[in-house]
Amino acid sequence: MESEAKSGVFRYESPWSIPQTLEHLESALRNGLDISISTSGSSGKAKEILIPANAIIFNAHNSNKFLGAKSGEIWSLLLSPEHTAGLNVLIRAIELGTKTVTIDQAADYTAIVPTQLYRALNGDEKLLKHLQGCKAVLVGGAAAEKELLEAAKKNGIN
């Protein structure tokens, strides 16, 4: 963290475990460090982007507020923390004062991409049950087709 503090930027290191990532991320946010991630965005070409700490905290706060998430409620991490959506799940959990859980544990909220939703509705029973157990599931990273979202609702996914 010393080099990160000097540069004012938090960079995720892929060999970190989730607890290590949370520890480093909490420290970075406390110190107001910007978050650096690699993304291909809509262009498909990998690039590094910087997200200001206050912007990512604002996003986490407003996502939790929109969902009605309360302190102590749990997010499950079903996306890689190397990507914006996975990192956002970690920050939402930090804001609620909790740690994240995996697909094997009950959660109040989670975030997935449309492909994961499709898999849940087409044979991935474990994922389907997990999503059905959540109070709300955020779907993003790409546009989700209306039919997919309707099928999710019919199958008890909010």
Side-chain angles (χ1 to χ4, degrees):
M1 288 295 292
E2 197 173 307
S3 64
E4 293 161 359
K6 286 180 184 173
S7 69
V9 174
F10 167 84
R11 287 182 178 81
Y12 171 80
E13 298 289 334
S14 59
W16 288 345
S17 67
I18 297 304
Q20 287 172 316
T21 301
L22 280 167
E23 179 185 331
H24 290 295
L25 191 54
E26 285 177 283
S27 175
L29 294 174
R30 270 194 312 275
N31 291 307
L33 300 184
D34 293 338
I35 309 297
S36 171
I37 61 166
S38 180
T39 182
S40 60
S42 57
S43 71
K45 184 178 178 184
K47 58 190 164 277
E48 186 174 323
I49 62 167
L50 286 177
I51 305 171
N54 61 348
I56 205 159
I57 292 168
F58 181 81
N59 174 278
H61 173 77
N62 283 315
S63 294
N64 281 331
K65 183 177 177 182
F66 174 79
L67 295 170
K70 296 173 183 63
S71 180
E73 290 187 313
I74 305 292
W75 278 86
S76 65
L77 182 61
L78 305 180
L79 299 162
S80 170
E82 292 180 54
H83 303 290
T84 308
L87 205 56
N88 277 319
V89 167
L90 295 175
I91 295 167
R92 290 178 196 126
I94 289 169
E95 200 215 8
L96 295 178
T98 61
K99 303 298 182 198
T100 58
V101 298
T102 67
I103 194 171
D104 297 316
Q105 299 158 296
D108 298 294
Y109 307 98
T110 197
I112 58 173
V113 295
T115 300
Q116 289 170 297
L117 183 56
Y118 178 84
R119 288 180 184 148
L121 297 170
N122 290 280
D124 188 336
E125 289 294 321
K126 185 176 186 177
L127 180 56
L128 177 62
K129 286 183 188 208
H130 183 80
L131 299 178
Q132 289 169 330
C134 291
K135 292 179 182 181
V137 176
L138 297 179
V139 181
E145 297 198 14
K146 183 179 177 182
E147 296 80 14
L148 182 64
L149 297 174
E150 288 171 357
K153 287 181 184 178
K154 287 179 185 174
N155 281 277
I157 299 171
N158 183 24

